[in-house]
Amino acid sequence: MCKRFISLILTAALVLSLGLCACGKSEETTKKKKKVKKTTKTEVIDTDETDDTDIPGDPSDPSDPTDKTDPTDDPFAQPDPTDPLDGGNGQKVGISMPTKLLRRWDEDGKNLKRQLEEDGYTVDLQYADNDVSIQNSQIESMINSGCKVLVIAPIDGFSLGNVVEEAQAANIPVIAYDRLIWDTEGVTYYASFDNYMAGLIQGEYIRQNLDLDYSDGPYNLEIFAGDPGDFNAVFFYSGAMDVLRPYIDSGKLVVRSGQVDFQDVATSAWRTEDAQNRMDAIISSFYSDGAVLDAVLCSNDSTALGVTNSLEAMYVGNYPVITGQDCDLANMKNILNGKQSMSVFKDTRSLVDRTVLMVEQILTGAEVEINDTSTYNNGVINVPSFLVAPIFADKNNYKEVLIDSGYYTEDQLS
Ligand code: BGC
């Protein structure tokens, strides 16, 4: 783990130097399938678009790279005989997801399956109960049962090298879904959100809400990152810290706990309870004297939930600016109740659309669109990637972002 962690940090250093390019990439409005040109090459889409003065991912800013999904997908649609990519003909696609317990993976799996089946593919969808050995054997059975493409969201991106190399030996392309698969040539494409940008959005949100450039400060900040075995966590942390670290260095932001480095702020398995316990300890040691906590950078919603639970029980001041990610229901309710400030919205429907398109492009021999060739080196190869741009939701824009887009109903949030 230690060696792995060091290699993560080294790669993170590389990411930092590339990050600003990565954060400028965005997906244009999800491409409709019929617009895809047929060639045999991989196409890199240049979608560079930067605007340094605003919080990136602000859906109310027309110049911001937002990724709007077409929520009008008809769940009962049949394969369209005039669409060259709807040519599934029963070809089998294997989908391996980490767990059903987290809403997003459950939805991701179901939506991928539904859309691929609508396009005429047969789908073997398996959830691995967050158990690495189960995931390995499920993937092996997908290889042996004739799957033509595998879509894999790894539980642990470092433990699938052998099995994806078996797929490679059997000429089965592998799409790493959301999380990268490391240390192997067996991964063919990566479909994910722009993880660095997700962190950048969180850092910018704190910068603007504390008005760090125009107010005197200092302000107290605490930091909660994700699981050290999930490299996405390093990207989130890097993006946010690229915004916040200069203010920490100048003293405008003060981390009273002194816990700033990734290994000190990581949250094992993204566990809510672990974040809550750490926040409890920080409040007892550093904020029980009445010191004001102004902001908490939380990399995702499960860590944010732990932090708000702890604040609710132990902290007497107002809720600080708290970031999150995933727009989980409990966190959206907290946002509406003023306990959490924002959550990065990764519209998993966009990632599903993109992944379905990739599968279809691979299986029909069409050009596979990517928009990034250099950010995700998995230790062995640069994995051709399509990175979908995230946006953020807060109490001001949640209606437009989450309800109008059909992601949630008003009832679910009340
Ligand atoms: C995903 C996040 C999620 C976290 C915990 C990460 O790999 O990118 O969206 O919050 O895992 O499941």
Side-chain angles (χ1 to χ4, degrees), residues 10-317:
L10 288 177
T11 315
L14 179 68
V15 168
L16 296 189
S17 60
L18 295 169
L20 284 170
C21 327
C23 77
K25 310 266 184 212
S26 67
E27 183 180 23
E28 295 158 5
T29 303
T30 304
K31 304 267 179 306
K32 292 311 284 179
K33 288 180 257 178
K34 295 181 182 63
K35 289 195 196 142
V36 175
K37 286 176 285 168
K38 280 208 160 199
T39 72
T40 48
K41 283 222 228 100
T42 294
E43 183 193 9
V44 180
I45 302 172
D46 182 2
T47 52
D48 253 2
E49 228 185 292
T50 37
D51 178 353
D52 291 341
T53 56
D54 298 324
I55 302 177
D58 182 351
S60 65
D61 176 353
S63 69
D64 210 84
T66 57
D67 174 50
K68 298 218 167 57
T69 309
D70 179 0
T72 58
D73 260 351
D74 175 2
F76 305 106
Q78 295 297 312
D80 174 358
T82 64
D83 183 340
L85 292 180
D86 274 10
N89 287 333
Q91 293 184 93
K92 195 162 163 191
V93 179
I95 302 174
S96 169
M97 289 281 138
T99 169
K100 268 193 166 185
L101 286 181
L102 235 153
R103 182 181 188 275
R104 72 152 294 190
W105 302 124
D106 187 27
E107 295 281 314
D108 284 11
K110 283 197 290 211
N111 288 335
L112 280 165
K113 181 169 165 26
R114 178 179 54 75
Q115 289 195 31
L116 284 165
E117 286 176 349
E118 279 167 18
D119 290 349
Y121 296 87
T122 304
V123 175
D124 181 1
L125 167 63
Q126 312 248 14
Y127 292 88
D129 209 12
N130 263 340
D131 181 322
V132 171
S133 61
I134 295 181
Q135 186 164 46
N136 266 283
S137 54
Q138 288 178 337
I139 295 170
E140 244 160 28
S141 89
M142 289 172 187
I143 296 171
N144 296 329
S145 68
C147 287
K148 301 292 183 220
V149 172
L150 299 178
V151 177
I152 302 173
I155 295 162
D156 175 348
F158 294 87
S159 60
L160 294 178
N162 290 344
V163 74
V164 298
E165 277 156 29
E166 278 175 40
Q168 188 182 32
N171 285 323
I172 303 171
V174 170
I175 300 174
Y177 183 85
D178 195 79
R179 298 173 175 168
L180 190 54
I181 300 172
W182 288 80
D183 296 334
T184 175
E185 288 184 358
V187 53
T188 325
Y189 293 104
Y190 181 38
S192 185
F193 289 93
D194 189 331
N195 296 312
Y196 177 87
M197 188 175 180
L200 199 75
I201 290 171
Q202 295 170 333
E204 279 295 338
Y205 197 92
I206 291 177
R207 185 168 77 92
Q208 295 211 4
N209 279 275
L210 295 185
D211 200 17
L212 290 178
D213 288 330
Y214 304 104
S215 61
D216 292 338
Y219 299 102
N220 292 325
L221 167 80
E222 298 297 336
I223 303 166
F224 287 73
D227 178 33
D230 176 356
F231 198 69
N232 287 359
V234 179
F235 275 87
F236 303 146
Y237 172 85
S238 304
M241 292 305 282
D242 275 359
V243 178
L244 300 177
R245 198 179 286 279
Y247 300 96
I248 296 174
D249 292 346
S250 74
K252 190 164 277 187
L253 283 176
V254 177
V255 182
R256 287 188 133 217
S257 69
Q259 295 161 15
V260 175
D261 292 346
F262 182 78
Q263 67 269 28
D264 296 329
V265 299
T267 310
S268 184
W270 300 91
R271 265 191 299 268
T272 299
E273 305 74 47
D274 289 23
Q276 183 166 349
N277 291 339
R278 203 178 128 240
M279 190 74 230
D280 285 353
I282 289 175
I283 294 173
S284 306
S285 307
F286 304 99
Y287 295 90
S288 55
D289 60 357
V292 173
L293 178 58
D294 297 292
V296 188
L297 169 69
C298 294
S299 285
N300 86 332
D301 279 351
S302 57
T303 52
L305 205 56
V307 166
T308 47
N309 288 346
S310 167
L311 291 171
E312 201 160 4
M314 298 189 53
Y315 179 73
V316 284

Side-chain angles (χ1 to χ4, degrees), residues 3-17:
K3 194 166 148 229
R4 175 194 299 178
F5 182 73
I6 290 164
S7 90
L8 292 185
I9 293 299
L10 288 177
T11 315
L14 179 68
V15 168
L16 296 189
S17 60

